């Protein structure tokens, strides 16, 4: 009996866009229940559910108003209980999204905290006096010019690394931490199997909150609030208070993590079991995500090789609700044939590596970025902030949004060629991709050669192979300009994977002669553009 979170394939559901069940245009828990058999047939063994808690949705649920109430639009706690029961009936584990770097400014704690400087909840958040009428320091926020917001009522500033409606919690306060741990344990007692820990890198801030060094009034200063020493104390305390002794797992969203820091976080299991590193999904941005640069295969190989050897167990992902659609980003959508084949190749490249695969809803049918043309089509605070801060270079901002905007992955799941892709009978909260008639689950199920059937075969292959789960990794052909290839070995079995990341044909090296386990665009000894093959050679 192995470790379930190493052997199962995870699937991230962004509930707002997965399946609507009551015609209000917003996905909900009952809609997810309707689709559990689809997930089971795909071969999914665990679900990461993005936040479903009560929220004003300033950041689409990542601004929590009540950690133990289901967002009204998503349903009731009874709906949740049924969802969990139905998942477990199908042997699908459920991990919840834990957003505890910050709450909503409408959370009870913050409403108390802002009432007065001597309120018992004041110190649940980070309040400071300004300096000469300006912010306490020069930190910039991810979603606003400044990471500080002035509160007239108590004439102090509060810190928010994200939106001003997402005040940062003060993790230096043990009473606050205790309440968080008690909440986590109540969700565990309901039967959930673990958590994905949002923005976990940022919980501890440098004492004194020193300004960052750099020009201008606001300076991006992650060095003062990322992986601070106290963070490890908090994570170990949370581990002891909540996770130890349970058959559960936690995966950290560790923005800015390096291979060195990663070792501390996951080796020995004292802080978290798994982590998301961002070197791959940030490799096509120069000086920030919005300056788009082309995919660089040699850089990709180096990053993968470094991470496969840096820690014993990785997460394997191309997408999530913050990333654009992977087939538009690193695949090819120049034709339907190349979209289908490159989607298969990307899956083969990533999900046969050593680690736990995390699929994102819609990638299994090769969903693409949305053709955004105007602000009215956008919903994401990050994109609105980018446009607001760059009115003098809107073309640049729009290029960034079309390529990297988070709304690209938040358009509704495409189920059928019926209106709104079968996602809703109402008006969807965000536009459905106009290509839904060509790209949808129903059509993919009917086509043996679809991306969807390929994903099913790939997941079945991995799930049935100890070598693909627990085997060692060795990079092959490190200098090949077209091919990403690697070897997985366990005992006397060796499986080779070869992926053509280029738009030209490539010869399959002789060493890849063997039993073909999986193939897309493999024509004899040639890999067609964006083709891939996995073979067993011993
Ligand atoms: O993301 C944390 C984070 O670092 C991202 O804001 C990232 O920097 C950005 O999305 C890059 O475009 C988590 C959640 O995944 C994200 O959806 C939330 O907006 C954020 O935290 C605040 O909760
Ligand atoms: Ca609904």
């Amino acid at each position: 009996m192995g470790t379930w979170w190493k052997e199962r394939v995870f699937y991230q559901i962004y509930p707002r866009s997965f399946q609507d069940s009551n015609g209000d245009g917003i996905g909900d828990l009952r809609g997810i229940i309707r689709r559990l058999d689809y997930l089971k047939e795909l071969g999914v063994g665990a679900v990461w559910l993005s936040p479903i808690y009560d929220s004003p949705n300033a950041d689409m649920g990542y601004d929590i108003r009540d950690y133990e109430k289901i967002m009204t639009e998503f349903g009731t706690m009874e709906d949740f209980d049924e969802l969990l029961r139905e998942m477990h009936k199908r042997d699908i584990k459920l991990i919840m999204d834990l957003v505890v770097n910050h709450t909503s400014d409408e959370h009870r704690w913050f409403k108390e905290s802002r009432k007065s400087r001597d309120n018992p909840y004041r110190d649940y958040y980070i309040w400071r006096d300004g300096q000469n009428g300006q912010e306490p320091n020069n930190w910039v926020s991810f979603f606003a010019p400044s990471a500080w917001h002035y509160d007239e009522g108590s004439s102090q500033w509060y810190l928010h690394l994200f939106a001003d409606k997402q005040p940062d919690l003060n993790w230096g306060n043990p009473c606050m931490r205790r309440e968080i741990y008690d909440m986590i344990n109540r969700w565990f007692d309901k039967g959930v199997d673990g958590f994905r820990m949002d923005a976990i890198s940022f919980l501890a801030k440098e004492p004194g909150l020193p300004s960052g060094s750099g020009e201008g009034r606001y300076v991006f200063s992650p060095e003062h609030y990322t992986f601070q020493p106290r963070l490890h104390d908090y994570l170990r305390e949370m581990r002891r208070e909540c996770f130890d002794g349970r058959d559960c797992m936690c995966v950290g969203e560790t923005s800015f993590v390096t291979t060195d820091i990663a070792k501390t976080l996951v080796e020995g299991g004292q802080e978290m079991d798994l982590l998301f590193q961002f070197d791959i999904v940030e490799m096509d941005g120069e000086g920030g995500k919005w300056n788009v640069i082309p995919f660089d295969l040699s850089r990709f190989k180096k990053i993968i090789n470094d991470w496969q050897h840096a820690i014993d167990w990785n997460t394997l992902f191309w997408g999530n609700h913050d990333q654009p659609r992977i087939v538009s980003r690193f695949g090819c959508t120049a034709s339907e044939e190349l979209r289908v084949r490159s989607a298969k190749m990307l899956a083969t490249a990533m999900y046969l590596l050593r680690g736990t695969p995390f699929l994102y809803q819609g990638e299994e049918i090769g969903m693409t970025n949305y053709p955004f043309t105007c602000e009215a089509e956008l919903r994401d605070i990050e994109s609105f902030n980018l446009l607001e801060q760059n009115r003098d270079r809107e073309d640049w901002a729009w290029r960034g949004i079309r390529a990297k905007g988070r709304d690209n992955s938040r358009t509704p799941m495409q189920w059928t060629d019926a209106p709104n892709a079968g996602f809703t009978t109402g008006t969807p909260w965000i536009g459905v991709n106009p290509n839904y008639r060509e790209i949808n689950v129903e059509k993919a199920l009917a086509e043996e050669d679809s991306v969807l059937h390929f994903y099913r075969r790939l997941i079945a292959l991995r799930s049935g192979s100890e070598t693909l789960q627990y085997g060692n990794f060795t990079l092959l052909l490190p200098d090949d300009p077209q091919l990403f290839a690697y070897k997985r070995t366990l005992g006397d079995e060796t499986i080779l994977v070869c992926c053509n990341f280029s738009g030209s044909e490539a010869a399959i090296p002789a060493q890849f002669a063997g039993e073909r386990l999986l193939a897309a665009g493999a024509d004899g000894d040639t890999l067609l553009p964006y083709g891939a093959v996995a073979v067993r050679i011993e």
Side-chain angles (χ1 to χ4, degrees):
M1 182 64 176
T3 309
W4 65 263
W5 46 266
K6 292 185 176 178
E7 296 178 356
R8 293 169 184 246
V9 170
F10 281 64
Y11 185 96
Q12 181 191 356
I13 291 177
Y14 191 71
R16 198 172 194 83
S17 305
F18 193 62
Q19 178 65 66
D20 174 22
S21 73
N22 62 350
D24 66 358
I26 299 171
D28 47 54
L29 301 187
R30 303 214 65 79
I32 298 173
I33 291 171
R34 270 174 46 190
R35 297 294 181 183
L36 291 180
D37 288 335
Y38 164 77
L39 294 178
K40 189 63 185 174
E41 284 148 26
L42 178 56
V44 165
V47 162
W48 154 23
L49 187 56
S50 275
I52 58 170
Y53 320 99
D54 177 39
S55 165
N57 288 302
D59 185 17
M60 295 303 154
Y62 283 89
D63 48 318
I64 295 172
R65 182 165 49 197
D66 184 337
Y67 285 101
E68 297 178 73
K69 181 177 180 297
I70 302 300
M71 191 187 301
T72 307
E73 305 95 295
F74 288 168
T76 65
M77 189 57 87
E78 291 67 33
D79 294 332
F80 172 80
D81 293 340
E82 184 179 340
L83 172 63
L84 184 59
R85 269 198 311 276
E86 289 303 316
M87 282 184 165
H88 284 170
K89 242 190 240 171
R90 293 167 177 79
D91 189 25
I92 295 176
K93 304 270 190 185
L94 172 64
I95 68 168
M96 306 285 278
D97 216 316
L98 182 71
V99 186
V100 291
N101 175 68
H102 48 272
T103 67
S104 163
D105 66 344
E106 298 180 28
H107 191 288
R108 174 178 67 83
W109 297 343
F110 190 72
K111 291 200 287 191
E112 283 298 318
S113 180
R114 75 186 316 170
K115 275 180 182 170
S116 68
R117 295 189 185 207
D118 56 4
N119 185 287
Y121 287 93
R122 187 70 172 184
D123 195 37
Y124 273 38
Y125 295 86
I126 299 171
W127 295 91
R128 291 292 186 279
D129 292 326
Q131 294 189 350
N132 313 316
Q134 289 197 340
E135 296 85 356
N137 69 23
N138 65 358
W139 294 358
V140 71
S141 149
F142 286 104
F143 298 155
S146 167
W148 295 92
H149 186 88
Y150 187 68
D151 179 63
E152 297 288 346
S154 58
S155 53
Q156 275 195 315
W157 302 74
Y158 66 82
L159 179 69
H160 59 86
L161 294 182
F162 293 94
D164 58 4
K165 283 186 70 61
Q166 294 172 286
D168 279 55
L169 283 165
N170 172 20
W171 273 79
N173 182 330
C175 297
M176 189 289 290
R177 298 203 304 270
R178 181 71 260 157
E179 291 215 54
I180 294 286
Y181 301 155
D182 292 346
M183 174 271 289
I184 293 172
N185 282 324
R186 284 192 291 269
W187 276 107
F188 267 135
D189 294 344
K190 285 181 70 66
V192 304
D193 301 293
F195 290 89
R196 173 263 187 186
M197 304 201 286
D198 183 71
I200 204 72
S201 314
F202 312 130
L203 298 192
K205 279 68 173 179
E206 184 171 345
L209 308 181
S211 276
S213 52
E215 295 303 311
R217 178 170 177 184
Y218 304 119
V219 175
F220 188 47
S221 315
E223 69 278 11
H224 296 304
Y225 51 78
T226 306
F227 301 113
Q228 287 289 313
R230 291 299 313 275
L231 173 68
H232 301 289
D233 300 333
Y234 301 148
L235 290 175
R236 292 174 189 221
E237 182 182 65
M238 183 192 290
R239 187 93 185 173
R240 290 192 305 272
E241 294 297 325
C242 305
F243 291 82
D244 283 354
R246 295 180 190 268
D247 177 18
C248 65
M249 63 84 81
C250 68
V251 52
E253 186 209 26
T254 47
S255 307
F256 304 102
V257 73
T258 63
T259 50
D260 285 341
I261 295 171
K263 291 183 177 69
T264 310
L265 291 167
V266 293
E267 303 294 336
Q270 296 181 78
E271 299 184 14
M272 53 186 77
D273 298 299
L274 284 171
L275 58 80
F276 293 122
Q277 53 88 356
F278 290 84
D279 291 351
I280 295 291
V281 293
E282 289 178 356
M283 66 181 285
D284 58 344
E286 197 163 52
K289 67 185 271 189
W290 305 111
N291 293 314
V292 187
I293 56 176
F295 178 79
D296 174 342
L297 182 61
S298 61
R299 184 132 174 268
F300 171 74
K301 293 185 190 183
K302 183 178 181 326
I303 293 170
I304 290 289
N305 194 45
D306 288 352
W307 277 100
Q308 286 282 299
H309 292 297
I311 51 178
D312 176 61
W313 203 266
N314 277 269
T315 55
L316 309 172
F317 72 104
W318 284 115
N320 60 39
H321 64 292
D322 293 332
Q323 302 301 329
R325 291 284 176 184
I326 191 56
V327 74
S328 297
R329 184 180 205 174
F330 294 150
C332 177
T333 53
S335 73
E336 186 58 8
E337 181 187 29
L338 289 176
R339 177 188 67 82
V340 168
R341 192 187 305 147
S342 62
K344 296 173 180 177
M345 183 277 290
L346 290 165
T348 305
M350 183 58 72
Y351 301 132
L352 298 185
L353 289 168
R354 179 182 167 89
T356 300
F358 278 76
L359 314 185
Y360 179 67
Q361 70 181 45
E363 73 169 79
E364 76 273 21
I365 56 172
M367 279 177 67
T368 67
N369 281 355
Y370 184 99
F372 293 111
T373 57
C374 63
E375 281 189 61
E377 292 175 321
L378 300 175
R379 296 292 178 274
D380 180 19
I381 188 170
E382 186 185 46
S383 295
F384 290 130
N385 177 55
L386 181 76
L387 286 166
E388 195 52 41
Q389 302 303 313
N390 293 280
R391 291 296 176 203
D392 58 339
R393 54 173 183 163
E394 278 208 8
D395 289 350
W396 170 86
W398 269 108
R399 269 198 305 281
I401 287 169
R402 287 195 189 97
K404 301 283 197 66
R406 303 192 301 178
D407 284 321
N408 278 301
S409 62
R410 300 177 180 187
T411 64
M413 182 71 185
Q414 293 164 198
W415 296 104
T416 70
D417 63 2
N420 295 314
F423 163 71
T424 180
T425 54
T427 304
W429 71 279
I430 185 172
V432 174
N433 197 309
N435 63 20
Y436 74 92
R437 289 182 190 82
E438 297 76 43
I439 303 174
N440 63 72
V441 166
E442 189 175 60
K443 187 167 182 283
L445 284 171
E447 291 168 355
E448 183 48 36
D449 197 32
S450 66
V451 178
L452 180 57
H453 285 302
F454 187 87
Y455 262 73
R456 281 179 164 185
R457 288 195 294 273
L458 185 152
I459 294 170
L461 176 65
R462 181 188 180 278
S463 302
S465 166
E466 286 242 327
T467 300
L468 289 174
Q469 290 173 25
Y470 291 104
N472 293 327
F473 164 90
T474 310
L475 182 67
L476 303 175
L477 312 176
D479 303 320
D480 190 292
Q482 291 175 283
L483 299 176
F484 169 56
Y486 55 89
K487 175 168 75 171
R488 301 294 312 277
T489 52
L490 185 69
D492 57 5
E493 184 177 57
T494 296
I495 293 175
L496 300 185
V497 176
C498 188
C499 301
N500 181 0
F501 272 79
S502 80
S504 315
E505 290 189 357
I508 301 177
Q511 65 182 312
F512 283 77
E515 177 199 354
R516 286 196 173 170
L517 304 172
L518 201 62
D523 179 9
D525 294 340
T526 303
L527 274 187
L528 300 179
Y530 302 103
V533 68
V535 300
R536 176 183 290 116
I537 60 169
E538 279 169 20

